[in-house]
Amino acid sequence: MKGSLPRKGQASRSTWRTRSLLLPLLAGIAFGCGGGAGNSPPLPPPGEPVILRVDPAKGPFTKLADAVAEAQRLQSATAGLEVLIEILGAGKERLEKNLALDGGDGTNGGRIRITSSAAYEILAGLFNVIVASQTSLQGVEVVLEGGKIQVNDGTFQPSKVTLNSPSSNILVNGNAAVLEGAVNQLAQVFCQQFSDPCVQISGNGRVAGISVTVSKTGGVGVGTVPGSNPLLENNAILLQALGALGVRYSDNSGGVFRNNQIEGDPPTTAGLALQARQTASGGTTGIQLDGAGSVPVIQSNRIVVGRIAGSVGIRILQGTQARTIAGNTFLARGEGAGVAIQVAPGTPEAVVAAYLAGNSFQGNFAERIGSGSAPTATPVPTPTLTPTPEPTPPPKTQTRPTPTPPPRRNPTPQREE
């Protein structure tokens, strides 16, 4: 009996040794699938993450996509596994398929975290970068040339995002989705060409610490989907084109918009000034509330109204109910051609008085609070004007006075005399 106990202990130790030898071997085989991992580490003890390193020059993984594929393979084999991907070397990577960061969506408790301390750039053509739940992508630079970035309940903390295609934008989907700058720095988002809002929010996620530059005429920096209630804070939105819009709240959407800065002062030239004078909508708009149900809390922001005619700090298109718009500083540029707050027709005087009392206005505004009847009425009369020119009697009346040549003949006989 006494001799059998050590044998059992020895047997258990031997099985533990074989397992400890097999784990590094299996891990080495698994790590080697991505981009060559001769120095791949063994699987860690439970509760500690697996670390995969990406270095375009040294490896063991030379591409982020290979490391992500390896992380997903490891997670599918081990429930609750956390994988940390560290990008150590600077480089560029062009995606050949969608880069889907999937930490298991909570099914197996896994998680994927990607960090980069180097200048690493991801070039996405027609492919998407998908940040699903239980995943985070931090510190990388993404250039979109047709694809999209989908933050589906994950965390995306880029250093820079450039949108070079009209169909490219950033989608923030879900109540746990986070889009923000990394390491207490503003994430640069350049909206050069796009058709949808540069950042489109669907859900109650958080967008913070990003700097959005809108440089296309009629472009929108941040927009919400109906029913969304996001938290937008500590962002900077720069409007550098005529008719550009900083933030657009669709109908039945709200949330909180606080501690942000909107700069509505595009670089003015003589041509832009003439275009702005010809139309009242030529200037920029900081925040626009589209529907009667769009009731965000707008407070403690700095909103700069551009010097071009037709620029508006906050535009309310519909509804007369009071909204929380307080503690904001409105600053007018130049000669004061813009309006600080443009209310909808029929807004109660008490609401107007609350806007004046709850916000501060600096500079020379054309109007601190103006009427919003002009922009809403312009699309309405256009269909009514089209049938009116259809009847041709007015041009016929103009053709009747054509017998004007007889008076012209009178001077001719004078010449004969």
Side-chain angles (χ1 to χ4, degrees), residues 173-241:
N173 306 319
N175 298 334
V178 176
L179 170 64
E180 64 181 351
V183 197
N184 297 325
Q185 295 181 355
L186 291 176
Q188 302 293 325
V189 180
F190 295 96
C191 313
Q192 297 181 356
Q193 294 179 356
F194 56 92
S195 54
D196 295 324
C198 173
V199 178
Q200 187 168 353
I201 306 174
S202 174
N204 304 338
R206 178 173 180 264
V207 176
I210 65 173
S211 176
V212 182
T213 302
V214 183
S215 58
K216 182 176 177 61
T217 300
V220 181
V222 181
T224 65
V225 173
S228 303
N229 295 281
L231 172 60
L232 304 175
E233 60 181 355
N234 303 323
N235 302 295
I237 301 177
L238 308 178
L239 306 177
Q240 296 185 346

Side-chain angles (χ1 to χ4, degrees), residues 190-400:
F190 295 96
C191 313
Q192 297 181 356
Q193 294 179 356
F194 56 92
S195 54
D196 295 324
C198 173
V199 178
Q200 187 168 353
I201 306 174
S202 174
N204 304 338
R206 178 173 180 264
V207 176
I210 65 173
S211 176
V212 182
T213 302
V214 183
S215 58
K216 182 176 177 61
T217 300
V220 181
V222 181
T224 65
V225 173
S228 303
N229 295 281
L231 172 60
L232 304 175
E233 60 181 355
N234 303 323
N235 302 295
I237 301 177
L238 308 178
L239 306 177
Q240 296 185 346
L242 283 178
L245 173 58
V247 182
R248 183 178 65 197
Y249 284 90
S250 60
D251 196 8
N252 296 323
S253 63
V256 179
F257 187 84
R258 67 187 178 196
N259 297 328
N260 301 286
Q261 179 175 347
I262 299 179
E263 178 69 37
D265 195 13
T268 58
T269 62
L272 294 179
L274 289 176
Q275 292 177 13
R277 292 173 184 174
Q278 293 174 358
T279 172
S281 60
T284 60
T285 301
I287 305 173
Q288 180 169 302
L289 309 181
D290 284 353
S294 56
V295 192
V297 176
I298 303 175
Q299 59 184 183
S300 304
N301 304 285
R302 186 174 184 268
I303 303 174
V304 179
V305 180
R307 69 186 67 183
I308 298 179
S311 59
V312 179
I314 298 179
R315 174 177 286 142
I316 304 172
L317 295 182
Q318 299 179 16
T320 58
Q321 70 272 31
R323 295 174 172 85
T324 304
I325 302 178
N328 303 285
T329 300
F330 294 87
L331 176 62
R333 294 290 192 191
E335 302 79 10
V339 179
I341 302 177
Q342 190 177 76
V343 298
T347 302
E349 294 296 332
V351 176
V352 175
Y355 292 157
L356 288 172
N359 299 282
S360 62
F361 306 89
Q362 302 176 3
N364 298 321
F365 290 93
E367 288 182 276
R368 290 187 178 181
I369 294 184
S371 174
S373 58
T376 55
T378 46
V380 178
T382 47
T384 58
L385 292 176
T386 50
T388 51
E390 290 180 359
T392 54
K396 289 179 180 179
T397 55
Q398 294 177 358
T399 54
R400 290 177 182 176

Side-chain angles (χ1 to χ4, degrees), residues 21-39:
L21 291 175
L22 285 174
L23 286 177
L25 179 60
L26 293 175
I29 295 174
F31 285 114
C33 295
N39 299 325

Side-chain angles (χ1 to χ4, degrees), residues 62-80:
T62 58
K63 293 183 179 180
L64 176 60
D66 294 335
V68 170
E70 182 57 35
Q72 293 175 345
R73 280 192 291 266
L74 292 175
Q75 283 190 333
S76 62
T78 306

